[in-house]
Amino acid sequence: MDGHEREFVSEVFDSNWIAPLGPMVDGFEAALAAYTGVKHAATMSSGTAAIHLALILLGVKPGDYVICQSFTFSATANPIRYLGATPVFVDSEAETWNMCPIALEKAIRACKNGEIAQDHLQNSKPTPKTGQHQTTDRSSPVSTNLKPKAILPVHLYGMPAKMDQINAIAAKHDIPVIEDAAEALGSHINGKPCGSFGDLGILSFNGNKIITTSGGGALLANDEEKIKKARFLATQARDPAPHYQHSEIGYNYRMSNILAGVGRGQMQVLPERIQQRRANFDFYNDLLKDVPGLSFLPEPEGYFSNRWLTTILVDPAKTGGITRETIRLALEADNIESRPLWKPMHQQPVFASYPFFSTGVSNKLFEQGLCLPSGSSLTPADHERISTVLKNVLKM
Ligand SMILES: *Cc1c(COP(=O)(O)O)cnc(C)c1O
């Protein structure tokens, strides 16, 4: 927190607008729309809730295919299963670590040609144990709708995905795009902000993100009808009537007016947070760029990453046997936390049976990748401590 958040939160208390809507929510939504250049924003209780509603708005039903980046956090994929739809995972390409347009095209064709339905259903059928009572079959029903209902690319670690290519493929096949920009607020491609490329964009303000409201998210769209519908569904789908009447299943997904106050304060420090995160990247890059076997993710021409987390790849064939675990454990021994990169969804026990279109990239990233300490609040003294451990373990 920076300090301005308190002023906005005090304003909420003074006005006694303590509710999951109110003037502070309106103000935060206006600030998000202005920042991302998208016409409308609806704040939500989480980024996950925003993805869930985005899928509902696109009419995703049980058995439908939704194409999803495999290399991501599980929150991207879980809402596909909330709806009983089938995630079709697509691997990454090496330049941005995000959805590979070539693998995407293959996945769409395979769905449309009915090439993957049978495989997947065989894999996902639960095998009943002997003597076990046969209850409901939880596997996805056979889809009658072969064309995928949505494409879900992610800007992982703040690096923009290849949105021009992905959008071109989506347009060719007439499939809407939901852009998971949870980690990429402030990132852009040639000045066009992440969150503004898809038919629907989603943001997260969870505690670990570049700005936070402790928990929260937002749905972005130029289509006003979609945002109106999202607000309706997020407030229990109340029909316009003096009594409580419901013709649709609703959700309680709106953001609290108090938290929106925190969000408005955080918007003021977003440029500074991006600068701090990018300074972390520069620190590690300067320190480690000449170490054989270590590599960073450079920004492709025209791409700007908020560098939410600084990540490195460690190739033991070139480091003399030092692996990312050697480095992680050396940091841990000095009570410094670092983590492997996201484990791709196709490797997760809960998603392993779903279709996957591989390039080999995300397997390698998970094997060799490490997220280095990347908080906005890292001090020069912290950098010094981390640098000592890294120099030691890498024998620099
Ligand atoms: C954090 C995150 C989400 C989910 O956001 P929550 O607000 O935590 O629900 C979705 N996708 C990605 C890539 C994320 O990192």
Side-chain angles (χ1 to χ4, degrees):
M1 292 296 111
D2 181 60
H4 297 290
E5 297 85 0
R6 257 180 219 273
E7 293 160 28
F8 286 107
V9 172
S10 292
E11 208 179 306
V12 173
F13 275 79
D14 292 343
S15 67
N16 208 27
W17 260 106
I18 312 294
L21 79 178
M24 208 53 82
V25 166
D26 300 344
F28 188 28
E29 289 176 344
L32 289 170
Y35 187 87
T36 56
V38 177
K39 284 198 188 119
H40 307 281
T43 50
M44 296 289 155
S45 53
S46 71
T48 310
I51 296 172
H52 189 191
L53 289 184
L55 293 166
I56 293 170
L57 291 171
L58 296 178
V60 173
K61 298 261 156 33
D64 284 342
Y65 294 131
V66 174
I67 297 195
C68 181
Q69 183 164 321
S70 182
F71 188 49
T72 187
F73 174 49
S74 66
T76 311
N78 282 334
I80 300 170
R81 291 297 301 140
Y82 299 169
L83 293 165
T86 301
V88 176
F89 292 112
V90 167
D91 209 343
S92 297
E93 39 76 22
E95 260 185 357
T96 70
W97 297 2
N98 293 310
M99 186 179 276
C100 170
I102 298 164
L104 168 64
E105 178 86 58
K106 280 189 195 148
I108 295 172
R109 288 189 188 287
C111 289
K112 282 182 156 179
N113 296 338
E115 284 165 20
I116 57 178
Q118 295 313 314
D119 280 18
H120 160 62
L121 287 174
Q122 265 164 29
N123 291 342
S124 70
K125 275 257 150 59
T127 17
K129 294 194 187 85
T130 11
Q132 191 187 338
H133 208 65
Q134 271 276 17
T135 50
T136 340
D137 184 348
R138 285 171 160 269
S139 64
S140 305
V142 181
S143 179
T144 48
N145 213 338
L146 293 176
K147 188 168 101 175
K149 278 281 180 71
I151 301 169
L152 239 167
V154 186
H155 310 297
L156 218 61
Y157 302 114
M159 180 61 75
K162 294 196 170 172
M163 290 313 299
D164 288 347
Q165 288 95 317
I166 292 169
N167 276 349
I169 294 167
K172 186 172 79 183
H173 293 276
D174 190 27
I175 302 170
V177 172
I178 302 171
E179 189 192 349
D180 182 345
E183 299 179 2
L185 186 58
S187 302
H188 59 79
I189 305 175
N190 293 316
K192 186 169 166 56
C194 285
S196 72
F197 288 92
D199 297 87
L200 293 152
I202 79 97
L203 299 172
S204 168
F205 311 109
N206 197 52
N208 58 341
K209 299 304 197 285
I210 193 156
I211 62 164
T212 179
T213 58
S214 71
L219 187 65
L220 306 169
N222 287 320
D223 181 347
E224 190 176 9
E225 286 313 306
K226 286 232 167 34
I227 294 295
K228 276 190 183 159
K229 184 78 196 263
R231 292 199 177 108
F232 164 78
L233 291 171
T235 45
Q236 308 287 21
R238 266 188 78 183
D239 293 341
H243 52 275
Y244 281 84
Q245 174 153 314
H246 307 273
S247 318
E248 275 182 75
I249 298 294
Y251 302 84
N252 185 3
Y253 275 176
R254 288 290 268 158
M255 178 180 275
S256 151
N257 202 44
I258 303 173
L259 295 185
V262 177
R264 284 187 71 185
Q266 285 273 284
M267 282 306 279
Q268 297 185 347
V269 290
L270 177 56
E272 192 184 328
R273 293 286 175 270
I274 296 167
Q275 204 199 317
Q276 287 161 325
R277 299 283 172 148
R278 287 179 63 88
N280 284 334
F281 177 88
D282 291 342
F283 158 71
Y284 290 116
N285 193 42
D286 290 347
L287 182 70
L288 304 173
K289 65 175 183 297
D290 296 328
V291 179
L294 295 200
S295 59
F296 289 83
L297 180 63
E299 287 162 323
E301 183 71 33
Y303 280 52
F304 180 92
S305 168
N306 66 13
R307 296 292 188 193
W308 175 55
L309 299 184
T310 296
T311 54
I312 51 166
L313 295 183
V314 185
D315 181 354
K318 294 183 191 146
T319 55
I322 293 168
T323 64
R324 76 102 196 285
E325 275 305 278
T326 323
I327 298 174
R328 191 183 69 78
L329 293 170
L331 287 165
E332 192 173 270
D334 201 24
N335 200 24
I336 300 169
E337 188 185 27
S338 63
R339 286 189 199 161
L341 302 190
W342 296 122
K343 182 173 184 175
M345 293 307 107
H346 71 272
Q347 288 194 38
Q348 298 289 354
V350 73
F351 289 122
S353 70
Y354 292 100
F356 172 56
F357 289 80
S358 175
T359 60
V361 169
S362 66
N363 284 347
K364 181 186 149 195
L365 295 174
F366 179 59
E367 204 177 285
Q368 301 193 343
L370 189 68
C371 293
L372 294 167
S374 302
S376 303
S377 56
L378 286 181
T379 62
D382 293 330
H383 280 174
E384 195 51 47
R385 246 185 86 200
I386 297 164
S387 155
T388 304
V389 177
L390 290 175
K391 282 179 176 163
N392 210 346
V393 67
L394 295 164
K395 301 178 182 70
M396 294 164 64

